[in-house]
Amino acid sequence: MTTNDEPTIDMDDDYDDITTPEEVLRKMTLMWQNELCAPCLLPSQMELVDILLDQIQGMEDDISRQRDKMQLRISLHRSELQRISFLTSDYVRCRLRKIEANPNDVIEQHNLRKNDATNPIELLSETELKFAEEYALAEAELFEKTVIEFMPVALKKIPVPKPDLKNDMVYAKVLDDDVGNVTVTDWRDLNAELVLEMEKSSCHLIPFESVKPYVEEGKMQLL
C-alpha cells in the first residue's frame, strides 16, 4: 500500500490547525486520556471522532483492495486500525458512562455553557444531548413508578445531585509554554493560596478545578 493510496482527511473548521493523520490521532489520544482521568465530563470532541472514523473507513477500503492481504504491512495497518477503533470507542463509552451517572446535571451544565458567550465550547454534541435527555426521561419515569408515587406529596420530586469537584485531585502534565501560573488552596491555611509555576513538561498533583480550563484547551494532560 503506497503513500498515494492513503486516505485523506476532510478537516472540520474547528480543527484547521490539524493537518496530518498523525496530528489527528495525537489530538484524539490526548482527549481520550483526559476524558478517562477527569472527574467530570469534558467538552465534546465528537467532531474529532468523526474525522477518525472517516480515516478508519478509508484505510479499511484501501486494505480490501489489496491483492495480497497476508503482507506484513497489511497486518500492521490492521493492527493500527484496531488501535484507533478502540481509542474512539472507549472515548465514547467513557463519555456515556459519565452522562448516565448524572444526566440531569450534565444537561444543566451543557445549557449553562451554551448560554455563556465567554465559553463557546459546548459540553455535549447533538447526539449526546439527545441521549442524555432520553436517558434522564427514562430514569425519571422509572423513579416515578417505583419510588415517587409511594412517597408523601412534599417529597415527590426527583433530586439532582451536584458533584463537588473542589477536593478532586489529579496528576497533570504541562504541555504548553503559555500555561503560566496556577493558584491553589494552601492546605496549611485554607484562607490562603499558593501560586504554582506551570513549566512545560512539569508534572503536578493538583486540584482539578485549578487546571480544568487548561485541560479543556489541551494545554495539560491528565495522567
Side-chain angles (χ1 to χ4, degrees), residues 5-205:
D5 292 332
E6 292 292 336
T8 59
I9 295 180
D10 183 16
M11 296 298 175
D12 188 272
D13 291 340
D14 293 335
Y15 298 97
D16 287 339
D17 57 327
I18 303 178
T19 57
T20 67
E22 291 77 13
E23 290 175 357
V24 174
L25 184 57
R26 178 193 59 78
K27 178 76 172 178
M28 186 70 247
T29 302
L30 174 62
M31 295 299 102
W32 167 67
Q33 184 167 344
N34 283 349
E35 192 68 64
L36 285 178
C37 298
C40 66
L41 193 69
L42 298 178
S44 174
Q45 300 290 335
M46 295 308 294
E47 295 92 344
L48 202 59
V49 172
D50 291 338
I51 292 173
L52 274 178
L53 291 178
D54 289 341
Q55 173 74 353
I56 291 172
Q57 184 60 53
M59 293 179 70
E60 287 178 342
D61 292 342
D62 282 349
I63 290 175
S64 66
R65 289 194 294 267
Q66 300 302 310
R67 294 182 178 179
D68 185 2
K69 294 182 172 57
M70 299 304 294
Q71 293 184 49
L72 176 60
R73 60 182 177 179
I74 299 299
S75 298
L76 293 176
H77 272 287
R78 282 181 174 151
S79 297
E80 182 67 7
L81 280 176
Q82 292 172 356
R83 185 172 76 91
I84 298 173
S85 296
F86 170 79
L87 193 73
T88 54
S89 299
D90 197 55
Y91 173 77
V92 174
R93 282 195 298 267
C94 179
R95 291 185 61 81
L96 290 179
R97 284 195 298 267
K98 291 182 178 181
I99 292 172
E100 291 173 353
N102 197 345
N104 289 294
D105 182 68
V106 167
I107 294 171
E108 181 180 341
Q109 294 301 320
H110 171 78
N111 291 331
L112 288 174
R113 294 178 71 108
K114 191 173 183 179
N115 296 327
D116 185 0
T118 63
N119 195 0
I121 307 177
E122 294 188 358
L123 186 63
L124 301 172
S125 66
E126 291 184 8
T127 304
E128 289 174 330
L129 178 59
K130 182 179 179 181
F131 170 78
E133 291 172 341
E134 292 177 351
Y135 192 91
L137 179 60
E139 191 176 59
E141 290 177 349
L142 177 63
F143 202 56
E144 176 72 30
K145 294 177 181 178
T146 58
V147 179
I148 296 294
E149 65 174 307
F150 304 108
M151 298 179 68
V153 176
L155 299 177
K156 286 192 173 185
K157 61 179 181 179
I158 300 177
V160 179
K162 298 293 183 181
D164 184 7
L165 306 178
K166 186 180 299 183
N167 297 322
D168 284 339
M169 305 291 289
V170 294
Y171 285 99
K173 180 179 180 180
V174 182
L175 301 179
D176 274 17
D177 290 318
D178 60 346
V179 172
N181 297 330
V182 171
T183 58
V184 299
T185 302
D186 187 348
W187 298 108
R188 295 167 298 182
D189 182 0
L190 298 182
N191 295 320
E193 290 184 335
L194 295 175
V195 178
L196 300 180
E197 185 177 355
M198 299 285 106
E199 296 182 355
K200 186 176 181 180
S201 299
S202 61
C203 296
H204 306 267
L205 176 60

